[in-house]
Coordinates of all heavy atoms in Angstrom, one line a residue:
M30 N -3.4 30.1 -0.2 CA -2.9 29.4 -1.4 C -2.1 28.2 -1.0 O -1.7 28.0 0.1 CB -2.0 30.4 -2.2 CG -2.8 31.3 -3.1 SD -1.8 31.7 -4.5 CE -3.0 32.4 -5.5
K31 N -1.9 27.4 -2.0 CA -1.1 26.2 -1.9 C 0.4 26.6 -1.7 O 0.8 27.7 -2.0 CB -1.2 25.3 -3.1 CG -2.6 24.8 -3.4 CD -2.6 24.0 -4.7 CE -4.0 23.5 -5.0 NZ -4.0 22.7 -6.3
P32 N 1.2 25.6 -1.2 CA 2.6 25.9 -1.1 C 3.3 26.0 -2.5 O 2.7 25.5 -3.5 CB 3.1 24.6 -0.4 CG 1.9 24.0 0.3 CD 0.8 24.4 -0.6
C33 N 4.4 26.6 -2.5 CA 5.2 26.7 -3.8 C 5.4 25.4 -4.4 O 5.9 24.4 -3.8 CB 6.5 27.5 -3.5 SG 7.5 27.7 -5.0
A34 N 5.2 25.3 -5.7 CA 5.3 24.1 -6.5 C 6.8 23.7 -6.6 O 7.1 22.5 -6.9 CB 4.7 24.2 -7.9
T35 N 7.7 24.6 -6.5 CA 9.1 24.4 -6.6 C 9.8 24.0 -5.3 O 10.5 23.0 -5.2 CB 9.9 25.5 -7.3 OG1 9.3 25.8 -8.6 CG2 11.4 25.3 -7.4
C36 N 9.6 24.9 -4.3 CA 10.4 24.7 -3.1 C 9.5 24.3 -1.9 O 10.1 23.9 -0.8 CB 11.1 26.0 -2.7 SG 10.0 27.4 -2.2
G37 N 8.2 24.3 -2.0 CA 7.3 23.9 -0.9 C 7.0 25.0 0.1 O 6.3 24.7 1.1
N38 N 7.6 26.2 0.0 CA 7.4 27.2 0.9 C 5.9 27.6 1.0 O 5.3 27.8 -0.1 CB 8.3 28.4 0.6 CG 8.2 29.5 1.6 OD1 8.0 29.3 2.8 ND2 8.5 30.7 1.2
D39 N 5.4 27.8 2.1 CA 4.0 28.3 2.3 C 4.0 29.8 2.6 O 4.2 30.2 3.7 CB 3.3 27.5 3.5 CG 1.9 27.7 3.5 OD1 1.3 28.4 2.6 OD2 1.2 27.3 4.5
Y40 N 4.0 30.6 1.6 CA 4.2 32.0 1.6 C 2.8 32.7 1.5 O 2.1 32.4 0.5 CB 5.2 32.4 0.6 CG 5.5 33.9 0.5 CD1 6.0 34.5 1.6 CD2 5.4 34.6 -0.7 CE1 6.4 35.9 1.6 CE2 5.8 35.9 -0.7 CZ 6.3 36.5 0.4 OH 6.7 37.9 0.3
A41 N 2.5 33.7 2.3 CA 1.3 34.4 2.3 C 1.1 35.2 1.0 O 0.0 35.5 0.6 CB 1.1 35.4 3.5
K42 N 2.2 35.6 0.3 CA 2.1 36.4 -0.9 C 2.4 35.6 -2.1 O 2.9 36.1 -3.1 CB 3.0 37.6 -0.8 CG 2.6 38.6 0.3 CD 3.5 39.8 0.4 CE 3.1 40.7 1.5 NZ 4.0 41.9 1.6
S43 N 2.1 34.3 -2.1 CA 2.4 33.5 -3.3 C 1.4 33.9 -4.4 O 0.5 34.7 -4.2 CB 2.2 32.0 -2.9 OG 0.9 31.8 -2.5
F44 N 1.7 33.4 -5.6 CA 0.9 33.7 -6.8 C 0.7 32.5 -7.7 O 1.5 31.5 -7.5 CB 1.5 34.8 -7.6 CG 2.9 34.6 -8.1 CD1 3.1 34.0 -9.3 CD2 4.0 34.8 -7.2 CE1 4.4 33.7 -9.7 CE2 5.3 34.6 -7.7 CZ 5.5 34.0 -8.9
A45 N -0.3 32.5 -8.5 CA -0.6 31.3 -9.4 C -0.3 31.7 -10.8 O -0.4 32.8 -11.3 CB -2.1 31.0 -9.2
V46 N 0.3 30.7 -11.5 CA 0.6 30.8 -12.9 C -0.2 29.7 -13.6 O 0.0 28.5 -13.2 CB 2.1 30.7 -13.2 CG1 2.4 30.6 -14.7 CG2 2.8 31.9 -12.5
T47 N -0.9 30.0 -14.7 CA -1.5 29.0 -15.5 C -0.6 28.8 -16.8 O -0.3 29.7 -17.5 CB -2.9 29.4 -16.0 OG1 -3.7 29.6 -14.8 CG2 -3.6 28.3 -16.8
W48 N -0.1 27.5 -17.0 CA 0.8 27.2 -18.0 C 0.3 25.9 -18.7 O 0.2 24.9 -18.0 CB 2.2 27.0 -17.4 CG 3.3 26.7 -18.4 CD1 3.6 25.4 -18.8 CD2 4.2 27.6 -18.9 NE1 4.7 25.5 -19.7 CE2 5.1 26.8 -19.7 CE3 4.4 28.9 -18.9 CZ2 6.1 27.4 -20.5 CZ3 5.5 29.5 -19.6 CH2 6.3 28.7 -20.4
A49 N 0.0 26.0 -20.0 CA -0.4 24.8 -20.7 C -1.6 24.1 -20.0 O -1.7 22.9 -20.0 CB 0.7 23.9 -21.0
G50 N -2.5 24.9 -19.5 CA -3.7 24.4 -18.9 C -3.5 23.9 -17.4 O -4.5 23.5 -16.8
E51 N -2.3 23.9 -16.9 CA -2.1 23.6 -15.5 C -1.9 24.8 -14.7 O -1.3 25.8 -15.2 CB -0.8 22.7 -15.4 CG -0.9 21.4 -16.2 CD -1.8 20.4 -15.5 OE1 -1.9 20.4 -14.3 OE2 -2.4 19.6 -16.2
V52 N -2.3 24.8 -13.4 CA -2.1 25.9 -12.5 C -1.1 25.6 -11.5 O -1.1 24.5 -10.9 CB -3.5 26.3 -11.8 CG1 -3.3 27.4 -10.8 CG2 -4.5 26.6 -12.8
Y53 N -0.1 26.4 -11.4 CA 1.0 26.3 -10.4 C 1.1 27.4 -9.5 O 0.8 28.6 -9.8 CB 2.4 26.2 -11.2 CG 2.5 25.2 -12.2 CD1 2.1 25.4 -13.5 CD2 3.0 23.9 -11.9 CE1 2.3 24.4 -14.5 CE2 3.1 22.9 -12.8 CZ 2.8 23.1 -14.1 OH 2.9 22.2 -15.1
T54 N 1.4 27.2 -8.2 CA 1.6 28.2 -7.2 C 3.1 28.4 -6.9 O 3.8 27.4 -6.8 CB 0.8 27.8 -5.9 OG1 -0.5 27.6 -6.2 CG2 1.0 28.9 -4.9
F55 N 3.5 29.6 -6.9 CA 4.9 29.9 -6.6 C 5.0 31.0 -5.6 O 4.1 31.9 -5.4 CB 5.6 30.4 -7.9 CG 5.6 29.4 -9.0 CD1 4.8 29.5 -10.1 CD2 6.5 28.3 -8.9 CE1 4.9 28.6 -11.1 CE2 6.5 27.3 -9.9 CZ 5.7 27.5 -11.0
D56 N 6.1 31.0 -4.8 CA 6.4 32.0 -3.8 C 7.3 33.1 -4.3 O 7.5 34.1 -3.7 CB 6.9 31.4 -2.5 CG 8.3 30.8 -2.7 OD1 8.7 30.6 -3.8 OD2 9.0 30.6 -1.6
S57 N 7.9 32.9 -5.5 CA 8.8 33.9 -6.1 C 9.0 33.7 -7.6 O 8.7 32.6 -8.1 CB 10.2 33.8 -5.4 OG 10.8 32.5 -5.8
L58 N 9.4 34.7 -8.3 CA 9.7 34.5 -9.7 C 10.8 33.6 -9.9 O 10.8 32.8 -10.9 CB 10.0 35.9 -10.3 CG 8.8 36.8 -10.5 CD1 9.3 38.2 -11.0 CD2 7.8 36.3 -11.4
E59 N 11.8 33.5 -9.0 CA 12.9 32.6 -9.1 C 12.4 31.2 -9.2 O 12.8 30.4 -10.0 CB 13.8 32.8 -7.9 CG 15.0 31.8 -8.0 CD 15.9 32.0 -6.8 OE1 15.5 32.7 -5.8 OE2 17.0 31.3 -6.8
C60 N 11.4 30.8 -8.3 CA 10.9 29.4 -8.4 C 10.1 29.2 -9.6 O 10.2 28.1 -10.2 CB 10.0 29.2 -7.1 SG 11.0 28.9 -5.6
A61 N 9.3 30.2 -10.1 CA 8.6 30.0 -11.3 C 9.5 29.8 -12.5 O 9.3 28.9 -13.3 CB 7.7 31.2 -11.6
I62 N 10.6 30.6 -12.6 CA 11.5 30.4 -13.7 C 12.2 29.0 -13.6 O 12.4 28.4 -14.6 CB 12.6 31.5 -13.6 CG1 11.9 32.9 -14.0 CG2 13.8 31.2 -14.4 CD1 12.8 34.1 -13.6
H63 N 12.6 28.6 -12.4 CA 13.3 27.3 -12.2 C 12.4 26.2 -12.8 O 12.9 25.3 -13.4 CB 13.6 27.1 -10.8 CG 14.3 25.8 -10.5 ND1 15.7 25.7 -10.8 CD2 13.9 24.7 -10.0 CE1 16.0 24.4 -10.5 NE2 15.0 23.8 -10.0
M64 N 11.1 26.3 -12.5 CA 10.2 25.2 -13.0 C 9.8 25.3 -14.4 O 9.7 24.3 -15.1 CB 9.0 25.1 -12.0 CG 8.1 23.9 -12.4 SD 6.7 23.7 -11.3 CE 7.6 22.7 -10.0
L65 N 9.5 26.5 -14.9 CA 8.8 26.7 -16.2 C 9.6 27.1 -17.3 O 9.3 26.8 -18.5 CB 7.6 27.6 -16.0 CG 6.5 27.2 -15.0 CD1 5.5 28.3 -14.9 CD2 5.9 25.9 -15.3
A66 N 10.7 27.9 -17.1 CA 11.5 28.4 -18.2 C 12.2 27.3 -18.9 O 12.8 26.4 -18.3 CB 12.5 29.5 -17.7
P67 N 12.2 27.3 -20.2 CA 13.0 26.3 -21.0 C 14.5 26.5 -20.8 O 15.0 27.6 -20.4 CB 12.6 26.5 -22.4 CG 12.2 28.0 -22.5 CD 11.6 28.3 -21.1
T68 N 15.3 25.5 -21.0 CA 16.7 25.6 -21.0 C 17.3 25.5 -22.4 O 16.8 24.9 -23.2 CB 17.4 24.5 -20.1 OG1 17.0 23.2 -20.6 CG2 16.9 24.6 -18.7
C69 N 18.4 26.3 -22.5 CA 19.2 26.3 -23.8 C 19.7 24.9 -24.1 O 20.3 24.3 -23.2 CB 20.3 27.3 -23.7 SG 21.3 27.4 -25.3
S70 N 19.5 24.4 -25.3 CA 20.0 23.1 -25.7 C 21.5 23.0 -25.7 O 22.1 22.0 -25.7 CB 19.5 22.8 -27.1 OG 18.1 22.6 -27.1
E71 N 22.2 24.2 -25.8 CA 23.7 24.2 -25.8 C 24.3 24.4 -24.5 O 25.0 23.6 -23.9 CB 24.2 25.3 -26.8 CG 25.7 25.5 -26.8 CD 26.5 24.3 -27.3 OE1 26.0 23.3 -27.8 OE2 27.7 24.3 -27.0
C72 N 24.0 25.5 -23.8 CA 24.7 25.9 -22.6 C 23.9 25.6 -21.3 O 24.4 25.6 -20.2 CB 25.0 27.4 -22.6 SG 23.6 28.5 -22.4
G73 N 22.6 25.3 -21.5 CA 21.8 24.9 -20.3 C 21.2 26.0 -19.5 O 20.5 25.7 -18.5
C74 N 21.5 27.2 -19.8 CA 20.9 28.3 -19.0 C 19.4 28.4 -19.2 O 18.9 28.0 -20.2 CB 21.6 29.7 -19.4 SG 21.1 30.4 -21.0
R75 N 18.7 29.0 -18.3 CA 17.3 29.2 -18.4 C 17.0 30.4 -19.4 O 17.7 31.4 -19.3 CB 16.7 29.6 -17.0 CG 16.7 28.4 -16.1 CD 15.7 27.4 -16.4 NE 15.9 26.2 -15.5 CZ 15.1 25.2 -15.6 NH1 14.2 25.1 -16.5 NH2 15.2 24.2 -14.8
I76 N 16.1 30.2 -20.2 CA 15.7 31.2 -21.2 C 14.6 32.0 -20.7 O 13.5 31.5 -20.6 CB 15.4 30.5 -22.6 CG1 16.6 29.7 -23.1 CG2 15.0 31.6 -23.6 CD1 16.3 28.8 -24.3
L77 N 14.9 33.3 -20.4 CA 13.9 34.2 -19.9 C 13.2 35.0 -20.9 O 12.2 35.6 -20.6 CB 14.5 35.1 -18.8 CG 15.2 34.3 -17.7 CD1 15.7 35.3 -16.6 CD2 14.3 33.3 -17.0
G78 N 13.8 35.2 -22.1 CA 13.2 35.9 -23.2 C 12.5 35.0 -24.2 O 12.1 33.9 -23.8
H79 N 12.5 35.4 -25.4 CA 11.9 34.6 -26.4 C 12.7 33.4 -26.8 O 12.2 32.4 -27.2 CB 11.6 35.5 -27.7 CG 10.6 36.5 -27.4 ND1 9.3 36.3 -27.3 CD2 10.8 37.9 -27.3 CE1 8.6 37.4 -27.1 NE2 9.5 38.4 -27.0
G80 N 14.0 33.5 -26.8 CA 14.9 32.4 -27.2 C 14.8 32.2 -28.7 O 14.1 33.0 -29.4
L81 N 15.5 31.2 -29.2 CA 15.5 30.9 -30.7 C 15.2 29.4 -30.8 O 15.7 28.6 -30.0 CB 16.9 31.2 -31.2 CG 17.4 32.7 -31.2 CD1 18.8 32.8 -31.5 CD2 16.5 33.5 -32.1
E82 N 14.4 29.1 -31.7 CA 14.0 27.7 -31.9 C 14.5 27.1 -33.2 O 14.4 27.8 -34.3 CB 12.5 27.5 -31.9 CG 11.9 27.9 -30.5 CD 10.4 27.7 -30.5 OE1 9.9 26.8 -31.1 OE2 9.7 28.6 -29.8
A83 N 14.9 25.9 -33.2 CA 15.3 25.2 -34.4 C 14.8 23.7 -34.3 O 15.4 22.9 -33.5 CB 16.8 25.2 -34.6
G84 N 13.7 23.5 -34.9 CA 13.1 22.2 -34.7 C 12.6 22.0 -33.3 O 11.9 22.9 -32.8
E85 N 13.0 21.0 -32.7 CA 12.6 20.7 -31.3 C 13.5 21.4 -30.3 O 13.3 21.4 -29.1 CB 12.6 19.2 -31.0 CG 11.5 18.5 -31.8 CD 10.1 18.9 -31.5 OE1 9.8 19.0 -30.3 OE2 9.3 19.1 -32.4
R86 N 14.6 22.0 -30.7 CA 15.6 22.6 -29.9 C 15.4 24.1 -29.6 O 14.9 24.7 -30.5 CB 17.0 22.4 -30.4 CG 17.4 20.9 -30.5 CD 18.8 20.7 -31.1 NE 18.7 21.1 -32.5 CZ 19.8 21.2 -33.3 NH1 21.0 21.0 -32.8 NH2 19.7 21.6 -34.6
V87 N 15.7 24.5 -28.4 CA 15.5 25.9 -28.1 C 16.9 26.4 -27.6 O 17.6 25.7 -26.9 CB 14.5 26.1 -27.0 CG1 14.4 27.6 -26.6 CG2 13.2 25.6 -27.4
F88 N 17.3 27.6 -28.1 CA 18.6 28.2 -27.7 C 18.4 29.6 -27.1 O 17.4 30.3 -27.4 CB 19.5 28.4 -28.9 CG 19.7 27.0 -29.6 CD1 19.0 26.6 -30.7 CD2 20.7 26.2 -29.2 CE1 19.2 25.4 -31.3 CE2 20.9 25.0 -29.8 CZ 20.2 24.6 -30.9
C89 N 19.3 30.0 -26.2 CA 19.2 31.3 -25.6 C 19.7 32.4 -26.6 O 19.3 33.6 -26.5 CB 20.0 31.4 -24.3 SG 21.8 31.1 -24.5
C90 N 20.6 32.0 -27.6 CA 21.2 33.0 -28.5 C 21.6 32.3 -29.7 O 21.8 31.1 -29.8 CB 22.3 33.8 -27.8 SG 23.7 32.7 -27.4
A91 N 22.0 33.1 -30.8 CA 22.4 32.6 -32.0 C 23.8 31.9 -31.8 O 24.1 31.0 -32.5 CB 22.5 33.7 -33.1
H92 N 24.6 32.4 -30.9 CA 25.9 31.8 -30.7 C 25.8 30.4 -30.3 O 26.5 29.5 -30.8 CB 26.6 32.6 -29.6 CG 27.9 32.0 -29.1 ND1 28.0 31.2 -28.1 CD2 29.2 32.1 -29.7 CE1 29.3 30.8 -27.9 NE2 30.0 31.3 -28.9
C93 N 24.9 30.1 -29.4 CA 24.6 28.7 -28.9 C 24.1 27.9 -30.1 O 24.4 26.7 -30.2 CB 23.7 28.7 -27.7 SG 24.6 29.1 -26.2
A94 N 23.2 28.4 -30.9 CA 22.6 27.7 -32.0 C 23.8 27.3 -33.0 O 23.8 26.2 -33.5 CB 21.6 28.5 -32.7
R95 N 24.7 28.3 -33.3 CA 25.8 28.0 -34.2 C 26.7 26.9 -33.6 O 27.2 26.1 -34.4 CB 26.7 29.3 -34.3 CG 26.1 30.3 -35.3 CD 27.2 31.3 -35.7 NE 27.7 32.1 -34.5 CZ 27.1 33.1 -34.0 NH1 26.0 33.6 -34.5 NH2 27.7 33.7 -33.0
A96 N 26.9 26.8 -32.3 CA 27.7 25.8 -31.7 C 27.1 24.4 -32.0 O 27.9 23.4 -31.9 CB 27.8 26.1 -30.2
Q97 N 25.8 24.3 -32.2 CA 25.2 23.0 -32.6 C 24.9 22.9 -34.1 O 24.2 22.0 -34.5 CB 24.0 22.8 -31.7 CG 24.3 22.6 -30.3 CD 23.2 21.9 -29.5 OE1 22.2 21.4 -30.1 NE2 23.3 21.8 -28.2
G98 N 25.5 23.7 -34.9 CA 25.4 23.6 -36.3 C 24.2 24.2 -36.9 O 23.9 24.0 -38.1
V99 N 23.4 25.0 -36.2 CA 22.2 25.6 -36.7 C 22.6 26.9 -37.4 O 23.4 27.7 -36.9 CB 21.2 25.9 -35.6 CG1 20.0 26.6 -36.1 CG2 20.8 24.6 -34.9
T100 N 22.1 27.1 -38.6 CA 22.3 28.3 -39.4 C 21.0 29.0 -39.6 O 20.0 28.4 -39.6 CB 23.1 28.0 -40.7 OG1 22.2 27.2 -41.5 CG2 24.4 27.4 -40.5
G101 N 21.1 30.3 -39.9 CA 20.0 31.1 -40.3 C 19.1 31.7 -39.2 O 18.2 32.4 -39.5
L102 N 19.4 31.5 -38.0 CA 18.7 32.1 -36.9 C 19.2 33.5 -36.6 O 20.4 33.7 -36.7 CB 18.8 31.3 -35.6 CG 18.1 29.9 -35.7 CD1 18.3 29.2 -34.3 CD2 16.6 30.0 -36.0
V103 N 18.4 34.4 -36.3 CA 18.7 35.8 -36.1 C 18.8 36.1 -34.6 O 17.8 35.8 -33.9 CB 17.8 36.8 -36.8 CG1 18.2 38.2 -36.5 CG2 17.8 36.5 -38.3
D104 N 19.9 36.6 -34.1 CA 20.0 37.1 -32.7 C 19.8 38.6 -32.8 O 20.7 39.4 -33.1 CB 21.4 36.7 -32.2 CG 21.5 37.0 -30.7 OD1 20.6 37.6 -30.1 OD2 22.5 36.5 -30.1
H105 N 18.6 39.1 -32.5 CA 18.3 40.5 -32.6 C 19.1 41.4 -31.8 O 19.4 42.6 -32.1 CB 16.8 40.7 -32.4 CG 16.0 40.1 -33.4 ND1 15.8 40.6 -34.7 CD2 15.2 38.9 -33.4 CE1 15.0 39.8 -35.4 NE2 14.6 38.8 -34.6
G106 N 19.6 40.9 -30.6 CA 20.4 41.7 -29.7 C 21.8 41.9 -30.3 O 22.6 42.7 -29.7
A107 N 22.2 41.3 -31.4 CA 23.5 41.4 -31.9 C 23.5 42.1 -33.3 O 24.2 41.8 -34.2 CB 24.1 40.0 -32.1
G108 N 22.6 43.1 -33.4 CA 22.6 43.9 -34.6 C 22.0 43.2 -35.8 O 22.3 43.5 -36.9
G109 N 21.2 42.1 -35.6 CA 20.6 41.4 -36.7 C 21.5 40.4 -37.3 O 21.1 39.8 -38.4
R110 N 22.6 40.0 -36.7 CA 23.5 39.0 -37.3 C 22.8 37.6 -37.3 O 22.0 37.3 -36.3 CB 24.8 38.9 -36.6 CG 25.7 40.1 -36.7 CD 27.0 39.9 -36.1 NE 27.0 39.5 -34.7 CZ 27.4 40.3 -33.7 NH1 27.9 41.4 -34.0 NH2 27.3 39.9 -32.5
T111 N 23.0 36.8 -38.3 CA 22.4 35.5 -38.3 C 23.3 34.5 -37.7 O 24.5 34.7 -37.6 CB 22.0 35.1 -39.7 OG1 23.2 35.0 -40.5 CG2 21.1 36.0 -40.4
S112 N 22.8 33.3 -37.4 CA 23.7 32.3 -36.8 C 24.6 31.7 -37.8 O 25.6 31.0 -37.5 CB 22.8 31.2 -36.2 OG 22.1 30.5 -37.2
G113 N 24.4 32.0 -39.1 CA 25.3 31.5 -40.1 C 26.4 32.5 -40.5 O 27.3 32.2 -41.2
A114 N 26.4 33.7 -39.8 CA 27.4 34.7 -40.2 C 28.7 34.5 -39.5 O 28.8 34.0 -38.5 CB 26.8 36.1 -39.8

């Protein structure tokens, strides 16, 4: 396989990911996440789950969405509270 698209490591157990029609080779999930996972518009962390979207912005949680003035988003991990609560 090709070297890792993130770090360049040539690893025998690398794997390929097809994303938006492009094929990437990675040597670890860490490298795949670093390159492909979106970042929260507020705190900058990598979003590994579904995240929350408001227009063009993506957030890791309703707390971060509220910090940017977004209301009405539901953070399911918080008992169904909305970002406006």
Side-chain angles (χ1 to χ4, degrees):
M30 275 211 166
K31 296 179 182 178
C33 178
T35 300
C36 70
N38 186 28
D39 190 7
Y40 183 54
K42 296 181 181 180
S43 61
F44 58 93
V46 173
T47 302
W48 180 277
E51 298 288 327
V52 179
Y53 300 91
T54 301
F55 298 107
D56 67 343
S57 67
L58 287 175
E59 180 181 8
C60 283
I62 288 166
H63 182 76
M64 180 173 280
L65 301 177
T68 56
C69 178
S70 294
E71 172 64 14
C72 71
C74 75
R75 293 288 177 178
I76 301 171
L77 303 183
H79 295 286
L81 300 168
E82 296 181 36
E85 297 294 316
R86 296 177 293 172
V87 180
F88 301 97
C89 64
C90 64
H92 175 265
C93 282
R95 279 193 304 273
Q97 289 201 8
V99 176
T100 60
L102 295 179
V103 177
D104 190 349
H105 295 286
R110 293 189 302 249
T111 65
S112 66

